[in-house]
Amino acid sequence: MSPEPSTENPALAAGIDFGGTSVKIGVCQGDTLVAKGDPIPTDNYKSAEDLIDAMVDQIQALCDAHPGVATVGAGVPGFVDFKRGFVHDLTNVPTWVNVPFAHILTEKTGLAAVVDNDANCMAYAEWRYGSAAGRENVIALTLGTGIGGGLILDGKLYRGSQFGAGEIGQMSIDYRGKAGEYGNTGAAEKYVGNAQIEEHAILKYANLGIAKSREECTPKAIAQAAQAGDEIARQIWGDVANWLGTVVSSIVWLLNPDAIVIGGGVSRAGKLLFDPLEKKLTSMLSPVFWENLEILPAKFGNDAGIIGSAALARDASVEGDAANTEK
Amino acid sequence: MSPEPSTENPALAAGIDFGGTSVKIGVCQGDTLVAKGDPIPTDNYKSAEDLIDAMVDQIQALCDAHPGVATVGAGVPGFVDFKRGFVHDLTNVPTWVNVPFAHILTEKTGLAAVVDNDANCMAYAEWRYGSAAGRENVIALTLGTGIGGGLILDGKLYRGSQFGAGEIGQMSIDYRGKAGEYGNTGAAEKYVGNAQIEEHAILKYANLGIAKSREECTPKAIAQAAQAGDEIARQIWGDVANWLGTVVSSIVWLLNPDAIVIGGGVSRAGKLLFDPLEKKLTSMLSPVFWENLEILPAKFGNDAGIIGSAALARDASVEGDAANTEK
C-alpha cells in the first residue's frame, strides 16, 4: 500500500509551515528543501488576508526563482477541513477564523493548493521520506507546548470524520487527573507539555529543598543538567517518560502500529527521554505489540512542516485529489 | 467508501462464533440468520483437531440443508493472523496454539474460509448491517469479562500491523492505576470488566455498612437494583460510565469517529450506563468531536459473531481477498 519511499526527480512543490509566531515557506523536491524564504512574523499582519498576501508574494518570488512548481501545501496549527482546504480556526492566531485558505492560495498563485493540520504534515514528512519511511502504520508525535499527533494507517494519512484525528495531547492518562483545555481530566499534554515539565521540575527540586527558577527548569535546561550528572534531572525525564509512555502504550494497544516517531522540542532530550520511554513501553505492552514496534526520533527538525506540506500537495495532485486544483 | 448497508439477495455464507465455552455456527444471508446449529461445547473436545471435526460436521449438515453456501467465516477469541487465517493462540482455550484454522476449514469443507478476531467480527456486523451501518469511522466495543474492540476506519476494518488492533481493554485510564494482564497500569478492563464491577459494587455497599454477596453485585443484579430505585446501584453505573467514558474519550480524541457502538453483557444496563456515559463524554470532548459523534447500543446480540464472520467471509470472497480460496 505504501508509495515508494523516494521517487526519481519528484516534481517541485511549495510548502508553507504556519507556526504560532511565524510562517515559513520553502520549495521542495522530494525530501530536499531547495530554497527557503525569510520567516514571516504572524504578529505583523492584522488580518488573515494581509498575511496571505505576504505569503503569496514570497511564494511567487520562490516560484520565479525555481520554475516548475505546480502545487502548494500548507500545514496550519489548528482545525482544518482538509477536503475543502478550509481553516475553521487556529489555536494561537485569533484573526484566522473560517478562512478558505486553499481557495485563496489557488486564486492568487495559480497553484493547486492543499491545507492540512501541521501535525499531519509532520507525520507525512516522516512517513514519506523520514524515520518511518515505508512503514504501513505509523504514529507521529510532536512534543512541545502540547502534543501534536498524526496517524498513518494502512499506508495513508488517517484524518477522522471531521479531520480532527490525532489529538494525542487530549487523551487521558488519569481519570481523576489534571483538567485539559476542555475540562477533560488527565489530558496527557497537561503532564508532558513544555510548561508542565517546567512546573513539575520546579516542584520536584523544591520538595528536596532546592530552589530553581523557571529558566533553570526548561526541558532544555533539565536535559543539560541530567547530562551533567544531576540525578534529579534524570528522574524528571523518567517521570516524563512515565506519562508519555502511558498514552503511547494506549495508542499502541488500540492501533498496533509498526512505528512511533517522536519529534518536537521536548524530544531533543534524546536518550534521556527515549531510554526510559522504551522501558516504560515494554512494561505496558504484550510481546507481540512491543517486539514489532520501533520507537524512532524524527528525522526532520524545523523543516518537517515545509517538507511534509509540500509532499502532501504534490502527492495529492498526482493522485488527483488535491483540495483545490482549479486555477 | 462504505459498501451499501444491504444488498439484494446476498450470497449465503456460514459463520462460526467461537466463544470461550461453546462454538456456535449458522448460515446467514446478509443480516439474516437463516439457520443455526446446536452450540458445540469446547470442553468436550481434547484437541483443536477434534473440535474442528465437530464444527465441520455441523457446517456440512447446514450446507446440505441450505445449498449455495460458498464461504465460511470464523470469529475467534484470541490472537489471529488474518491474512493467513492462522490462530496464534486463544485466551481461554489452551489447546488452540498455532492452528492453521482457515486452511483446515477449507480443506475439510471445500469452502473459502476467513478467520478473524471475534471483536472484529462483531464490529463488522454492526457496521455492515447494524447500528452503525454506512458510517465511515466506527469504534465497536463489547463489554463483558474484558473489553473487546473493533475499528472501522475510512470505511474498512482496521487490523493493525500484527492484526492486533482494538485492544481497548488494555488502554490505560490511570498511569498509577491497577495492573492489567501484562502489568500495564490502569488497564481499562480492570475497572469495567464483569468481575471488577462486582468487586467495586461489593466494596461500595460495604463502605456504607451494607453486606452484599457477589451474586447480588453482578452487572445484571446491579442494573435491576438501580431500576428498582436503589441509589447506590445507580451510582455504581455512574462510576462505570466514568471509567468507560475516560477510555472512550481518548479513542475519540485520537480517531475522531462518527460512531461508538457498544454491545456485550455489561451494556444491557441500557440507559443506566448510556446516560451517564454520554454526560461523561460531553465533559471530556470539544464540541466538534462530541456534536458529530453517535453513541449507539449494538443491534445484534448473541448472533453478532455469526452474522459478522459470515459477512466478512462473503465480502472477502467478493473482493477477492479471502484468506483461503483454494479448494
Side-chain angles (χ1 to χ4, degrees):
Chain A
M1 307 263 300
S2 317
E4 293 299 308
S6 67
T7 323
E8 303 258 328
N9 293 325
L12 291 176
I16 301 174
D17 176 16
F18 195 141
T21 54
S22 72
V23 176
K24 285 167 273 179
I25 302 178
V27 167
C28 302
Q29 184 165 38
D31 63 345
T32 308
L33 186 54
V34 175
K36 199 172 167 179
D38 291 327
I40 305 171
T42 50
D43 279 355
N44 290 6
Y45 301 86
K46 267 179 285 187
S47 69
E49 222 169 26
D50 288 351
L51 181 51
I52 294 176
D53 282 340
M55 295 185 207
V56 167
D57 287 347
Q58 201 173 88
I59 292 167
Q60 275 162 346
L62 285 163
C63 287
D64 288 346
H66 301 275
V69 174
T71 53
V72 59
V76 305
F79 184 44
V80 170
D81 180 332
F82 172 75
K83 223 164 230 170
R84 295 162 54 211
F86 187 91
V87 174
H88 292 292
D89 57 73
L90 301 185
T91 316
N92 294 310
V93 194
T95 55
W96 279 66
V97 178
N98 297 334
V99 178
F101 191 24
H103 182 78
I104 300 174
L105 279 174
T106 296
E107 211 170 56
K108 298 201 170 185
T109 64
L111 305 174
V114 158
V115 176
D116 207 339
N117 177 277
D118 52 2
N120 284 351
C121 293
M122 179 270 195
Y124 198 76
E126 291 297 334
W127 170 72
R128 195 71 176 80
Y129 300 115
S131 296
R135 310 302 192 287
E136 193 69 8
N137 301 302
V138 177
I139 316 300
L141 288 86
T142 322
L143 305 177
T145 313
I147 308 177
L151 316 177
I152 308 287
L153 302 180
D154 285 342
K156 64 190 182 64
L157 251 178
Y158 173 81
R159 294 183 175 89
S161 297
Q162 282 75 38
F163 311 103
E167 289 290 345
I168 294 171
Q170 306 304 333
M171 295 174 71
S172 179
I173 61 168
D174 185 355
Y175 70 92
R176 293 168 295 196
K178 294 196 253 182
E181 212 167 317
Y182 304 91
N184 45 328
T185 50
E189 67 184 22
K190 291 295 167 193
Y191 297 78
V192 303
N194 262 320
Q196 287 73 27
I197 294 175
E198 286 168 21
E199 282 154 28
H200 173 67
I202 291 169
L203 205 67
K204 190 149 185 148
Y205 282 114
N207 285 341
L208 295 160
I210 306 165
K212 289 268 189 187
S213 69
R214 190 168 270 271
E215 289 66 42
E216 291 171 299
C217 287
T218 61
K220 194 177 169 182
I222 296 294
Q224 285 167 343
Q227 270 141 10
D230 179 342
E231 176 58 20
I232 311 303
R234 211 185 51 76
Q235 285 173 22
I236 289 164
W237 284 110
D239 297 335
V240 173
N242 190 24
W243 296 318
L244 184 63
T246 300
V247 72
V248 170
S249 72
S250 290
I251 297 169
V252 174
W253 281 118
L254 186 67
L255 296 177
N256 183 204
D258 303 294
I260 307 285
V261 178
I262 304 181
V266 171
S267 75
R268 295 202 189 108
K271 279 172 70 69
L272 288 166
L273 174 63
F274 281 78
D275 285 355
L277 179 64
E278 296 208 357
K279 209 174 147 196
K280 173 72 177 175
L281 287 173
T282 327
S283 82
M284 294 290 283
L285 294 167
S286 74
V288 171
F289 283 73
W290 168 247
E291 286 164 10
N292 298 290
L293 183 71
E294 295 175 283
I295 312 294
L296 306 165
K299 176 180 172 183
F300 301 112
N302 292 331
D303 296 334
I306 297 177
I307 292 168
S309 58
L312 255 180
R314 194 211 50 217
D315 290 349
S317 96
V318 170
E319 289 158 19
D321 63 358
N324 206 325
T325 44
E326 308 99 54
K327 293 195 183 169
Chain B
M1 308 262 301
S2 317
E4 293 300 307
S6 67
T7 322
E8 304 258 328
N9 293 324
L12 291 175
I16 301 174
D17 176 17
F18 196 140
T21 55
S22 73
V23 176
K24 284 168 275 180
I25 302 178
V27 168
C28 301
Q29 185 165 38
D31 62 347
T32 308
L33 187 54
V34 175
K36 198 172 166 180
D38 290 328
I40 304 170
T42 50
D43 279 355
N44 290 6
Y45 301 86
K46 266 178 286 187
S47 69
E49 220 169 27
D50 289 351
L51 181 51
I52 294 175
D53 282 339
M55 295 185 208
V56 167
D57 288 345
Q58 201 174 88
I59 292 165
Q60 274 162 346
L62 285 163
C63 288
D64 289 346
H66 302 275
V69 174
T71 52
V72 58
V76 305
F79 184 45
V80 170
D81 180 332
F82 172 75
K83 222 165 231 169
R84 296 163 54 212
F86 186 91
V87 174
H88 291 291
D89 57 73
L90 301 185
T91 317
N92 295 308
V93 194
T95 55
W96 280 65
V97 178
N98 297 334
V99 178
F101 192 23
H103 182 79
I104 300 174
L105 279 174
T106 297
E107 208 170 57
K108 297 202 171 185
T109 64
L111 306 173
V114 159
V115 177
D116 208 339
N117 178 276
D118 53 2
N120 284 351
C121 292
M122 180 270 195
Y124 198 76
E126 292 296 335
W127 169 72
R128 196 69 175 80
Y129 300 115
S131 296
R135 310 302 192 288
E136 193 70 7
N137 300 301
V138 178
I139 315 301
L141 288 87
T142 323
L143 306 177
T145 312
I147 308 177
L151 316 178
I152 308 286
L153 302 180
D154 285 341
K156 63 191 183 66
L157 252 177
Y158 174 82
R159 295 183 174 89
S161 296
Q162 282 75 39
F163 310 103
E167 289 290 345
I168 295 171
Q170 305 304 334
M171 294 174 71
S172 179
I173 61 168
D174 185 355
Y175 70 92
R176 293 168 294 196
K178 295 196 253 181
E181 211 167 318
Y182 304 92
N184 44 328
T185 49
E189 67 184 23
K190 290 296 168 194
Y191 296 79
V192 303
N194 262 320
Q196 287 73 26
I197 295 175
E198 287 168 19
E199 282 154 26
H200 173 65
I202 291 169
L203 206 66
K204 189 148 187 149
Y205 281 114
N207 285 342
L208 295 160
I210 305 164
K212 290 266 189 188
S213 70
R214 190 167 270 272
E215 289 67 39
E216 292 171 298
C217 287
T218 62
K220 195 178 169 183
I222 295 294
Q224 285 166 343
Q227 270 140 11
D230 179 343
E231 176 59 18
I232 312 305
R234 212 185 50 76
Q235 284 173 23
I236 290 164
W237 284 110
D239 297 336
V240 174
N242 190 24
W243 296 318
L244 184 62
T246 300
V247 72
V248 170
S249 71
S250 289
I251 297 170
V252 174
W253 281 118
L254 186 66
L255 296 177
N256 183 204
D258 303 294
I260 307 285
V261 179
I262 305 182
V266 172
S267 76
R268 296 202 188 106
K271 280 172 69 68
L272 288 165
L273 174 62
F274 282 78
D275 285 354
L277 179 63
E278 296 207 357
K279 209 173 145 196
K280 173 71 178 176
L281 288 173
T282 326
S283 82
M284 294 289 284
L285 296 167
S286 74
V288 171
F289 282 73
W290 168 247
E291 286 164 10
N292 298 290
L293 183 72
E294 295 176 284
I295 311 295
L296 305 165
K299 175 180 172 182
F300 301 112
N302 291 330
D303 296 333
I306 298 177
I307 293 169
S309 59
L312 254 181
R314 195 211 49 217
D315 291 349
S317 96
V318 170
E319 290 158 18
D321 63 357
N324 207 324
T325 45
E326 308 98 54
K327 294 198 181 168

